[in-house]
Amino acid sequence: MGPAALLLLLPLLGPTPAGAAPKQDEILQLPGLAKQPAFRQYSGYLNVAGGKHLHYWFVESQNSPQSSPVVLWLNGGPGCSSLDGLLTEHGPFLIQPDGNTLEYNPYSWNLNANVLYLESPAGVGFSYSDDKNYVTNDTEVAQNNYEALREFFRLFPEYCSNQLFLTGESYAGIYIPTLAMLVMQDPSMNLQGLAVGNGLSCYEQNDNSLVYFAYYHGLLGNRLWSALQTHCCSQGKCNFHDNQDPTCTLNLLEVSRIVSNSGLNIYNLYAPCAGGVPGHTRNEDTLVIQDMGNLFTRLPVKQMWYQQALLRTGARVRLDPPCTNTTAPSTYLNNLYVRKVLHIPESVPRWDMCNFVVNSNYQRLYQTMNEQYLKLLSAQKYRILVYNGDVDMACNFMGDEWFVDSLNQKVEVQRRPWLVSDGNGEQVAGFVKEFANIAFLTIKGAGHMVPTDKPLAALTMFTRFLNKEPY
């Protein structure tokens, strides 16, 4: 057996020596940086059951890593890569439009935390499965992510006793609480809390609130609004989620079209749509689909359209987040030299921001995270933060605020502005409402990707959350 084969076997051959991170995973010369970082970083695979290999990229804290917390970060989709979080949101360096250059991020979340970016589930990004079967569901993903965390601590035993926080965005609104249910039962992990940004917490509340959000942001107009009131509402209560009235369904399809397909940026109402007004565009032999399948999932016509689109095309199908330019991170991560430095095997396919196969075959087992949050809160020892950029339409702030309110926890601090100092004195960064062990917080003027839109406010919020300081 050659030395290369031995290296591949190392993670499987029992414990790494105490206090020793896996040397073979260390990133020594990251392309695109004018100067290499002073902190250490690692990229490799966390092997879990069923022959699955989840790719991780771990950046140590810039300030005393040995005592800094370990923070897991997951992006959503389902089927989208957490390297989006690293390279475009809150990583130590951000990809530039040329797709080759990385610039240091002054608002990086690893300033005072060790951050583990995990590409999950298998099939997403550089993660893969030996059998290439990418059909999965919420329960299996939670189990795989839990096993990946265990494997991480086995490879990095020096971090076992550090505080652990589970964080993520979007569909991680499902990933994070379901993972926390497993982690909270494992005394070997020092779980302290979780933070979910613009998370999908409850399909019904997300759909219902979105229609109000769209109307009061001037997107629907009075004719459509009064039709919705007439056909979707009775006795002062509206059901925009699974209403059986055929006229209501037609009106909701119109809402869905305006929000998702008219050229508005669903992730940030006030930001331009990258590439201009989109459609379900055909690009040479590729069908580009831009629907993650999280909104108005009960609309029958929508489900039918999706299936027909798949049957109609013999082309390669690509899932791309709408109004988002994924060219720069794709160019960078598919550079052969970058892949080599990140220790990605040559057999692993090209990196895409989102994986259509994973997304379209994904089985959603939960309609709400109510039970998971109540169980976590009943332990009375975890700090939970639900935060939302307030101009996102994919997972809007109102739905998540309704969700947190519906948990019926004891209010400790009434809703108030929270402030951030930006060089022009103190500014209102958003609003926060605090309950016994959970807070709901908005970030004013941010969309779905909060740290991209408001990096200073996001870092301030994150730091206060980790340090258990008042927001």
PDB file of all heavy atoms in Angstrom, residues 34-63:
ATOM      1  N   ALA A  34      -3.651  37.303  -1.120  1.00  0.00           N
ATOM      2  CA  ALA A  34      -2.384  38.034  -1.265  1.00  0.00           C
ATOM      3  C   ALA A  34      -1.428  37.591  -0.145  1.00  0.00           C
ATOM      4  O   ALA A  34      -0.221  37.532  -0.324  1.00  0.00           O
ATOM      5  CB  ALA A  34      -2.636  39.533  -1.191  1.00  0.00           C
ATOM      6  N   LYS A  35      -1.993  37.269   1.021  1.00  0.00           N
ATOM      7  CA  LYS A  35      -1.176  36.875   2.176  1.00  0.00           C
ATOM      8  C   LYS A  35      -1.923  35.751   2.883  1.00  0.00           C
ATOM      9  O   LYS A  35      -3.131  35.834   3.085  1.00  0.00           O
ATOM     10  CB  LYS A  35      -1.033  38.099   3.086  1.00  0.00           C
ATOM     11  CG  LYS A  35      -0.258  37.878   4.364  1.00  0.00           C
ATOM     12  CD  LYS A  35      -0.103  39.238   5.090  1.00  0.00           C
ATOM     13  CE  LYS A  35       0.633  39.091   6.411  1.00  0.00           C
ATOM     14  NZ  LYS A  35      -0.170  38.407   7.445  1.00  0.00           N
ATOM     15  N   GLN A  36      -1.205  34.683   3.230  1.00  0.00           N
ATOM     16  CA  GLN A  36      -1.848  33.551   3.912  1.00  0.00           C
ATOM     17  C   GLN A  36      -2.233  33.954   5.346  1.00  0.00           C
ATOM     18  O   GLN A  36      -1.578  34.780   5.963  1.00  0.00           O
ATOM     19  CB  GLN A  36      -0.908  32.334   3.915  1.00  0.00           C
ATOM     20  CG  GLN A  36      -0.665  31.737   2.525  1.00  0.00           C
ATOM     21  CD  GLN A  36      -1.949  31.269   1.838  1.00  0.00           C
ATOM     22  OE1 GLN A  36      -2.741  30.535   2.419  1.00  0.00           O
ATOM     23  NE2 GLN A  36      -2.159  31.697   0.605  1.00  0.00           N
ATOM     24  N   PRO A  37      -3.310  33.355   5.879  1.00  0.00           N
ATOM     25  CA  PRO A  37      -3.800  33.780   7.195  1.00  0.00           C
ATOM     26  C   PRO A  37      -2.892  33.330   8.339  1.00  0.00           C
ATOM     27  O   PRO A  37      -2.125  32.379   8.206  1.00  0.00           O
ATOM     28  CB  PRO A  37      -5.163  33.080   7.307  1.00  0.00           C
ATOM     29  CG  PRO A  37      -5.060  31.891   6.410  1.00  0.00           C
ATOM     30  CD  PRO A  37      -4.154  32.300   5.281  1.00  0.00           C
ATOM     31  N   ALA A  38      -3.029  34.014   9.468  1.00  0.00           N
ATOM     32  CA  ALA A  38      -2.256  33.649  10.664  1.00  0.00           C
ATOM     33  C   ALA A  38      -2.930  32.492  11.403  1.00  0.00           C
ATOM     34  O   ALA A  38      -2.299  31.795  12.176  1.00  0.00           O
ATOM     35  CB  ALA A  38      -2.151  34.866  11.577  1.00  0.00           C
ATOM     36  N   PHE A  39      -4.243  32.294  11.156  1.00  0.00           N
ATOM     37  CA  PHE A  39      -4.948  31.177  11.819  1.00  0.00           C
ATOM     38  C   PHE A  39      -4.860  29.926  10.949  1.00  0.00           C
ATOM     39  O   PHE A  39      -4.639  30.016   9.742  1.00  0.00           O
ATOM     40  CB  PHE A  39      -6.420  31.552  12.070  1.00  0.00           C
ATOM     41  CG  PHE A  39      -7.164  31.941  10.818  1.00  0.00           C
ATOM     42  CD1 PHE A  39      -7.789  30.969  10.015  1.00  0.00           C
ATOM     43  CD2 PHE A  39      -7.250  33.271  10.417  1.00  0.00           C
ATOM     44  CE1 PHE A  39      -8.457  31.320   8.854  1.00  0.00           C
ATOM     45  CE2 PHE A  39      -7.924  33.629   9.250  1.00  0.00           C
ATOM     46  CZ  PHE A  39      -8.534  32.649   8.472  1.00  0.00           C
ATOM     47  N   ARG A  40      -5.053  28.756  11.572  1.00  0.00           N
ATOM     48  CA  ARG A  40      -5.004  27.504  10.803  1.00  0.00           C
ATOM     49  C   ARG A  40      -6.379  27.178  10.249  1.00  0.00           C
ATOM     50  O   ARG A  40      -7.400  27.553  10.827  1.00  0.00           O
ATOM     51  CB  ARG A  40      -4.500  26.360  11.689  1.00  0.00           C
ATOM     52  CG  ARG A  40      -2.998  26.447  11.948  1.00  0.00           C
ATOM     53  CD  ARG A  40      -2.502  25.290  12.776  1.00  0.00           C
ATOM     54  NE  ARG A  40      -3.279  25.160  14.013  1.00  0.00           N
ATOM     55  CZ  ARG A  40      -3.030  24.254  14.951  1.00  0.00           C
ATOM     56  NH1 ARG A  40      -2.054  23.387  14.804  1.00  0.00           N
ATOM     57  NH2 ARG A  40      -3.759  24.200  16.055  1.00  0.00           N
ATOM     58  N   GLN A  41      -6.367  26.465   9.120  1.00  0.00           N
ATOM     59  CA  GLN A  41      -7.640  26.018   8.543  1.00  0.00           C
ATOM     60  C   GLN A  41      -7.450  24.643   7.923  1.00  0.00           C
ATOM     61  O   GLN A  41      -6.350  24.272   7.514  1.00  0.00           O
ATOM     62  CB  GLN A  41      -8.150  27.033   7.519  1.00  0.00           C
ATOM     63  CG  GLN A  41      -7.134  27.451   6.480  1.00  0.00           C
ATOM     64  CD  GLN A  41      -7.752  28.354   5.418  1.00  0.00           C
ATOM     65  OE1 GLN A  41      -8.948  28.331   5.193  1.00  0.00           O
ATOM     66  NE2 GLN A  41      -6.931  29.135   4.753  1.00  0.00           N
ATOM     67  N   TYR A  42      -8.547  23.906   7.868  1.00  0.00           N
ATOM     68  CA  TYR A  42      -8.519  22.505   7.431  1.00  0.00           C
ATOM     69  C   TYR A  42      -9.673  22.236   6.479  1.00  0.00           C
ATOM     70  O   TYR A  42     -10.749  22.818   6.620  1.00  0.00           O
ATOM     71  CB  TYR A  42      -8.661  21.575   8.644  1.00  0.00           C
ATOM     72  CG  TYR A  42      -7.552  21.732   9.659  1.00  0.00           C
ATOM     73  CD1 TYR A  42      -7.598  22.747  10.612  1.00  0.00           C
ATOM     74  CD2 TYR A  42      -6.442  20.885   9.644  1.00  0.00           C
ATOM     75  CE1 TYR A  42      -6.573  22.919  11.532  1.00  0.00           C
ATOM     76  CE2 TYR A  42      -5.404  21.049  10.554  1.00  0.00           C
ATOM     77  CZ  TYR A  42      -5.478  22.070  11.501  1.00  0.00           C
ATOM     78  OH  TYR A  42      -4.452  22.231  12.399  1.00  0.00           O
ATOM     79  N   SER A  43      -9.433  21.344   5.529  1.00  0.00           N
ATOM     80  CA  SER A  43     -10.503  20.907   4.636  1.00  0.00           C
ATOM     81  C   SER A  43     -10.322  19.430   4.363  1.00  0.00           C
ATOM     82  O   SER A  43      -9.206  18.973   4.089  1.00  0.00           O
ATOM     83  CB  SER A  43     -10.438  21.704   3.325  1.00  0.00           C
ATOM     84  OG  SER A  43     -11.216  21.064   2.327  1.00  0.00           O
ATOM     85  N   GLY A  44     -11.412  18.675   4.460  1.00  0.00           N
ATOM     86  CA  GLY A  44     -11.334  17.237   4.236  1.00  0.00           C
ATOM     87  C   GLY A  44     -12.712  16.626   4.369  1.00  0.00           C
ATOM     88  O   GLY A  44     -13.715  17.291   4.129  1.00  0.00           O
ATOM     89  N   TYR A  45     -12.754  15.380   4.804  1.00  0.00           N
ATOM     90  CA  TYR A  45     -14.018  14.665   4.857  1.00  0.00           C
ATOM     91  C   TYR A  45     -14.303  14.092   6.238  1.00  0.00           C
ATOM     92  O   TYR A  45     -13.399  13.604   6.918  1.00  0.00           O
ATOM     93  CB  TYR A  45     -14.029  13.538   3.813  1.00  0.00           C
ATOM     94  CG  TYR A  45     -14.237  14.094   2.420  1.00  0.00           C
ATOM     95  CD1 TYR A  45     -13.158  14.486   1.631  1.00  0.00           C
ATOM     96  CD2 TYR A  45     -15.526  14.277   1.919  1.00  0.00           C
ATOM     97  CE1 TYR A  45     -13.351  15.033   0.372  1.00  0.00           C
ATOM     98  CE2 TYR A  45     -15.731  14.818   0.658  1.00  0.00           C
ATOM     99  CZ  TYR A  45     -14.647  15.194  -0.112  1.00  0.00           C
ATOM    100  OH  TYR A  45     -14.850  15.758  -1.352  1.00  0.00           O
ATOM    101  N   LEU A  46     -15.568  14.170   6.631  1.00  0.00           N
ATOM    102  CA  LEU A  46     -16.049  13.519   7.837  1.00  0.00           C
ATOM    103  C   LEU A  46     -16.891  12.339   7.364  1.00  0.00           C
ATOM    104  O   LEU A  46     -17.903  12.526   6.680  1.00  0.00           O
ATOM    105  CB  LEU A  46     -16.876  14.498   8.681  1.00  0.00           C
ATOM    106  CG  LEU A  46     -16.115  15.772   9.093  1.00  0.00           C
ATOM    107  CD1 LEU A  46     -17.037  16.786   9.750  1.00  0.00           C
ATOM    108  CD2 LEU A  46     -14.946  15.438  10.026  1.00  0.00           C
ATOM    109  N   ASN A  47     -16.434  11.138   7.668  1.00  0.00           N
ATOM    110  CA  ASN A  47     -17.083   9.931   7.154  1.00  0.00           C
ATOM    111  C   ASN A  47     -18.189   9.491   8.098  1.00  0.00           C
ATOM    112  O   ASN A  47     -17.976   9.369   9.300  1.00  0.00           O
ATOM    113  CB  ASN A  47     -16.051   8.817   6.994  1.00  0.00           C
ATOM    114  CG  ASN A  47     -14.923   9.259   6.072  1.00  0.00           C
ATOM    115  OD1 ASN A  47     -15.153   9.894   5.055  1.00  0.00           O
ATOM    116  ND2 ASN A  47     -13.689   8.941   6.448  1.00  0.00           N
ATOM    117  N   VAL A  48     -19.392   9.279   7.532  1.00  0.00           N
ATOM    118  CA  VAL A  48     -20.527   8.863   8.363  1.00  0.00           C
ATOM    119  C   VAL A  48     -21.099   7.557   7.806  1.00  0.00           C
ATOM    120  O   VAL A  48     -20.642   7.054   6.774  1.00  0.00           O
ATOM    121  CB  VAL A  48     -21.603   9.977   8.443  1.00  0.00           C
ATOM    122  CG1 VAL A  48     -21.007  11.256   8.990  1.00  0.00           C
ATOM    123  CG2 VAL A  48     -22.254  10.243   7.084  1.00  0.00           C
ATOM    124  N   ALA A  49     -22.093   7.017   8.488  1.00  0.00           N
ATOM    125  CA  ALA A  49     -22.660   5.711   8.122  1.00  0.00           C
ATOM    126  C   ALA A  49     -23.152   5.695   6.679  1.00  0.00           C
ATOM    127  O   ALA A  49     -23.497   6.734   6.108  1.00  0.00           O
ATOM    128  CB  ALA A  49     -23.809   5.378   9.063  1.00  0.00           C
ATOM    129  N   GLY A  50     -23.201   4.502   6.106  1.00  0.00           N
ATOM    130  CA  GLY A  50     -23.756   4.339   4.762  1.00  0.00           C
ATOM    131  C   GLY A  50     -22.797   4.789   3.671  1.00  0.00           C
ATOM    132  O   GLY A  50     -23.225   5.114   2.562  1.00  0.00           O
ATOM    133  N   GLY A  51     -21.481   4.830   3.988  1.00  0.00           N
ATOM    134  CA  GLY A  51     -20.506   5.207   2.962  1.00  0.00           C
ATOM    135  C   GLY A  51     -20.643   6.645   2.498  1.00  0.00           C
ATOM    136  O   GLY A  51     -20.342   6.989   1.354  1.00  0.00           O
ATOM    137  N   LYS A  52     -21.102   7.521   3.416  1.00  0.00           N
ATOM    138  CA  LYS A  52     -21.238   8.943   3.057  1.00  0.00           C
ATOM    139  C   LYS A  52     -20.019   9.707   3.551  1.00  0.00           C
ATOM    140  O   LYS A  52     -19.504   9.449   4.641  1.00  0.00           O
ATOM    141  CB  LYS A  52     -22.504   9.535   3.669  1.00  0.00           C
ATOM    142  CG  LYS A  52     -23.787   8.899   3.146  1.00  0.00           C
ATOM    143  CD  LYS A  52     -24.987   9.667   3.663  1.00  0.00           C
ATOM    144  CE  LYS A  52     -26.267   9.142   3.067  1.00  0.00           C
ATOM    145  NZ  LYS A  52     -27.002   8.278   3.992  1.00  0.00           N
ATOM    146  N   HIS A  53     -19.589  10.652   2.724  1.00  0.00           N
ATOM    147  CA  HIS A  53     -18.396  11.448   3.037  1.00  0.00           C
ATOM    148  C   HIS A  53     -18.794  12.920   2.942  1.00  0.00           C
ATOM    149  O   HIS A  53     -19.016  13.430   1.849  1.00  0.00           O
ATOM    150  CB  HIS A  53     -17.269  11.118   2.064  1.00  0.00           C
ATOM    151  CG  HIS A  53     -17.042   9.633   1.932  1.00  0.00           C
ATOM    152  ND1 HIS A  53     -16.251   8.921   2.811  1.00  0.00           N
ATOM    153  CD2 HIS A  53     -17.537   8.733   1.046  1.00  0.00           C
ATOM    154  CE1 HIS A  53     -16.261   7.639   2.464  1.00  0.00           C
ATOM    155  NE2 HIS A  53     -17.039   7.497   1.401  1.00  0.00           N
ATOM    156  N   LEU A  54     -18.903  13.565   4.101  1.00  0.00           N
ATOM    157  CA  LEU A  54     -19.337  14.965   4.122  1.00  0.00           C
ATOM    158  C   LEU A  54     -18.115  15.876   4.163  1.00  0.00           C
ATOM    159  O   LEU A  54     -17.274  15.766   5.060  1.00  0.00           O
ATOM    160  CB  LEU A  54     -20.254  15.225   5.319  1.00  0.00           C
ATOM    161  CG  LEU A  54     -21.544  14.385   5.391  1.00  0.00           C
ATOM    162  CD1 LEU A  54     -22.431  14.852   6.538  1.00  0.00           C
ATOM    163  CD2 LEU A  54     -22.317  14.429   4.086  1.00  0.00           C
ATOM    164  N   HIS A  55     -18.043  16.768   3.185  1.00  0.00           N
ATOM    165  CA  HIS A  55     -16.897  17.676   3.114  1.00  0.00           C
ATOM    166  C   HIS A  55     -17.034  18.788   4.154  1.00  0.00           C
ATOM    167  O   HIS A  55     -18.111  19.363   4.320  1.00  0.00           O
ATOM    168  CB  HIS A  55     -16.783  18.287   1.711  1.00  0.00           C
ATOM    169  CG  HIS A  55     -15.734  19.346   1.636  1.00  0.00           C
ATOM    170  ND1 HIS A  55     -16.019  20.672   1.445  1.00  0.00           N
ATOM    171  CD2 HIS A  55     -14.379  19.271   1.788  1.00  0.00           C
ATOM    172  CE1 HIS A  55     -14.878  21.369   1.469  1.00  0.00           C
ATOM    173  NE2 HIS A  55     -13.886  20.542   1.676  1.00  0.00           N
ATOM    174  N   TYR A  56     -15.937  19.062   4.859  1.00  0.00           N
ATOM    175  CA  TYR A  56     -15.933  20.164   5.820  1.00  0.00           C
ATOM    176  C   TYR A  56     -14.781  21.113   5.501  1.00  0.00           C
ATOM    177  O   TYR A  56     -13.770  20.740   4.905  1.00  0.00           O
ATOM    178  CB  TYR A  56     -15.789  19.626   7.251  1.00  0.00           C
ATOM    179  CG  TYR A  56     -14.367  19.255   7.631  1.00  0.00           C
ATOM    180  CD1 TYR A  56     -13.516  20.171   8.265  1.00  0.00           C
ATOM    181  CD2 TYR A  56     -13.842  17.990   7.332  1.00  0.00           C
ATOM    182  CE1 TYR A  56     -12.206  19.833   8.602  1.00  0.00           C
ATOM    183  CE2 TYR A  56     -12.527  17.648   7.662  1.00  0.00           C
ATOM    184  CZ  TYR A  56     -11.725  18.580   8.292  1.00  0.00           C
ATOM    185  OH  TYR A  56     -10.420  18.257   8.605  1.00  0.00           O
ATOM    186  N   TRP A  57     -14.962  22.358   5.911  1.00  0.00           N
ATOM    187  CA  TRP A  57     -13.886  23.359   5.858  1.00  0.00           C
ATOM    188  C   TRP A  57     -13.938  24.032   7.221  1.00  0.00           C
ATOM    189  O   TRP A  57     -14.953  24.614   7.599  1.00  0.00           O
ATOM    190  CB  TRP A  57     -14.150  24.339   4.715  1.00  0.00           C
ATOM    191  CG  TRP A  57     -13.032  25.316   4.432  1.00  0.00           C
ATOM    192  CD1 TRP A  57     -12.076  25.776   5.283  1.00  0.00           C
ATOM    193  CD2 TRP A  57     -12.787  25.982   3.176  1.00  0.00           C
ATOM    194  NE1 TRP A  57     -11.249  26.683   4.651  1.00  0.00           N
ATOM    195  CE2 TRP A  57     -11.666  26.829   3.349  1.00  0.00           C
ATOM    196  CE3 TRP A  57     -13.410  25.960   1.932  1.00  0.00           C
ATOM    197  CZ2 TRP A  57     -11.161  27.640   2.327  1.00  0.00           C
ATOM    198  CZ3 TRP A  57     -12.908  26.766   0.910  1.00  0.00           C
ATOM    199  CH2 TRP A  57     -11.791  27.584   1.103  1.00  0.00           C
ATOM    200  N   PHE A  58     -12.862  23.918   7.967  1.00  0.00           N
ATOM    201  CA  PHE A  58     -12.830  24.388   9.346  1.00  0.00           C
ATOM    202  C   PHE A  58     -11.822  25.522   9.480  1.00  0.00           C
ATOM    203  O   PHE A  58     -10.659  25.360   9.117  1.00  0.00           O
ATOM    204  CB  PHE A  58     -12.446  23.219  10.261  1.00  0.00           C
ATOM    205  CG  PHE A  58     -12.300  23.591  11.717  1.00  0.00           C
ATOM    206  CD1 PHE A  58     -13.345  24.165  12.424  1.00  0.00           C
ATOM    207  CD2 PHE A  58     -11.104  23.323  12.398  1.00  0.00           C
ATOM    208  CE1 PHE A  58     -13.214  24.484  13.776  1.00  0.00           C
ATOM    209  CE2 PHE A  58     -10.962  23.635  13.746  1.00  0.00           C
ATOM    210  CZ  PHE A  58     -12.015  24.219  14.437  1.00  0.00           C
ATOM    211  N   VAL A  59     -12.286  26.668   9.968  1.00  0.00           N
ATOM    212  CA  VAL A  59     -11.366  27.798  10.176  1.00  0.00           C
ATOM    213  C   VAL A  59     -11.252  28.060  11.680  1.00  0.00           C
ATOM    214  O   VAL A  59     -12.255  28.227  12.372  1.00  0.00           O
ATOM    215  CB  VAL A  59     -11.828  29.076   9.421  1.00  0.00           C
ATOM    216  CG1 VAL A  59     -11.698  28.890   7.918  1.00  0.00           C
ATOM    217  CG2 VAL A  59     -13.259  29.468   9.754  1.00  0.00           C
ATOM    218  N   GLU A  60     -10.017  28.032  12.165  1.00  0.00           N
ATOM    219  CA  GLU A  60      -9.807  28.281  13.592  1.00  0.00           C
ATOM    220  C   GLU A  60     -10.025  29.756  13.907  1.00  0.00           C
ATOM    221  O   GLU A  60      -9.922  30.616  13.031  1.00  0.00           O
ATOM    222  CB  GLU A  60      -8.395  27.833  14.008  1.00  0.00           C
ATOM    223  CG  GLU A  60      -8.240  26.320  14.002  1.00  0.00           C
ATOM    224  CD  GLU A  60      -6.982  25.829  14.725  1.00  0.00           C
ATOM    225  OE1 GLU A  60      -6.054  26.639  14.929  1.00  0.00           O
ATOM    226  OE2 GLU A  60      -6.939  24.630  15.074  1.00  0.00           O
ATOM    227  N   SER A  61     -10.311  30.020  15.166  1.00  0.00           N
ATOM    228  CA  SER A  61     -10.551  31.384  15.615  1.00  0.00           C
ATOM    229  C   SER A  61      -9.290  32.229  15.439  1.00  0.00           C
ATOM    230  O   SER A  61      -8.170  31.740  15.615  1.00  0.00           O
ATOM    231  CB  SER A  61     -10.959  31.356  17.086  1.00  0.00           C
ATOM    232  OG  SER A  61     -11.006  32.665  17.606  1.00  0.00           O
ATOM    233  N   GLN A  62      -9.488  33.503  15.112  1.00  0.00           N
ATOM    234  CA  GLN A  62      -8.343  34.414  14.966  1.00  0.00           C
ATOM    235  C   GLN A  62      -7.838  34.867  16.333  1.00  0.00           C
ATOM    236  O   GLN A  62      -6.803  35.523  16.423  1.00  0.00           O
ATOM    237  CB  GLN A  62      -8.758  35.634  14.125  1.00  0.00           C
ATOM    238  CG  GLN A  62      -9.181  35.256  12.715  1.00  0.00           C
ATOM    239  CD  GLN A  62      -9.466  36.470  11.842  1.00  0.00           C
ATOM    240  OE1 GLN A  62      -8.836  37.524  11.980  1.00  0.00           O
ATOM    241  NE2 GLN A  62     -10.415  36.338  10.917  1.00  0.00           N
ATOM    242  N   ASN A  63      -8.582  34.514  17.382  1.00  0.00           N
ATOM    243  CA  ASN A  63      -8.234  34.995  18.712  1.00  0.00           C
ATOM    244  C   ASN A  63      -8.376  33.844  19.713  1.00  0.00           C
ATOM    245  O   ASN A  63      -9.478  33.424  20.005  1.00  0.00           O
ATOM    246  CB  ASN A  63      -9.166  36.158  19.066  1.00  0.00           C
ATOM    247  CG  ASN A  63      -8.805  36.780  20.393  1.00  0.00           C
ATOM    248  OD1 ASN A  63      -7.715  36.588  20.918  1.00  0.00           O
ATOM    249  ND2 ASN A  63      -9.751  37.511  20.948  1.00  0.00           N
TER     250      ASN A  63
END
